[in-house]
Amino acid sequence: MRRRALSLIRVHARPGERTRGILKAGPFTIAVVLGRTGIRANKFEGDGATPRGRFRALRLWWRADRHPRPRTSLPVQRITPDLAWCEDTSDRRYNRPFRRSANEPGDRLWRQDRLYDFIVEIDHNTRPRVARRGSAVFLHVARPNRSPTQGCVAMTTGDLRRLLARLGARTRIEIQT
């Protein structure tokens, strides 16, 4: 039986812990890790903040060499070794995926540490894309020590896989302080 996608999930910081949060998705409550400077409404490139606001879940990126295709209603894209995310504020590809040559800068999505085995792309700073307003904000896998992210929302692989099964193109992600 396929479950309907959730219409809204909410993320908020734990009281007194700016880098730790709670994600509420229907009946699920998931512990998450936030950006090193907490949640901010006025996000800028490199500030380490998780953006406050309401976002759409756009697509799932995943490592097909490590995991079978997850169950989700989101559009799905495989991560390849040459795939990166543009963080260069002067580049026309800013805050978009691109094929990266070995010497080109960018946040490489093919990682050894497994943090990007599953990435949910959200529509932070996409319409319009504004240079220096933040790029590569995802839902992704947390580090084993649960250290803060650079601005993303991270959780365990198991929690993320369970969440993926409930996400769809109409799901909204509300991040609040």
Side-chain angles (χ1 to χ4, degrees), residues 58-102:
L58 297 178
R59 107 183 76 188
L60 168 68
W61 298 84
W62 112 100
R63 287 281 300 262
D65 63 312
R66 291 183 175 162
H67 304 277
R69 182 183 173 123
R71 285 184 340 145
T72 188
S73 295
L74 289 172
V76 179
Q77 182 73 41
R78 290 176 187 233
I79 295 172
T80 57
D82 62 342
L83 194 63
W85 208 268
C86 185
E87 297 174 321
D88 180 349
T89 60
S90 65
D91 192 311
R92 65 178 174 74
R93 301 173 296 184
Y94 178 67
N95 198 26
R96 293 182 187 165
F98 71 101
R99 302 286 174 208
R100 175 182 175 234
S101 64

Side-chain angles (χ1 to χ4, degrees), residues 122-172:
I122 67 172
D123 70 342
H124 167 71
N125 193 25
T126 59
R127 292 183 186 179
R129 282 178 175 76
V130 178
R132 294 179 286 285
R133 296 302 293 183
S135 64
V137 178
F138 307 127
L139 305 183
H140 67 75
V141 177
R143 289 179 182 85
N145 67 0
R146 301 186 54 78
S147 60
T149 69
Q150 293 299 310
C152 296
V153 175
M155 62 203 80
T156 67
T157 303
D159 284 339
L160 185 51
R161 287 184 71 103
R162 279 187 287 286
L163 182 63
L164 290 173
R166 301 301 307 271
L167 295 181
R170 295 180 186 234
T171 303
R172 299 300 179 257

Side-chain angles (χ1 to χ4, degrees), residues 41-58:
N42 197 16
K43 169 125 184 84
F44 287 96
E45 190 69 39
D47 67 0
T50 300
R52 187 175 79 193
R54 195 172 191 147
F55 309 101
R56 291 181 307 131
L58 297 178

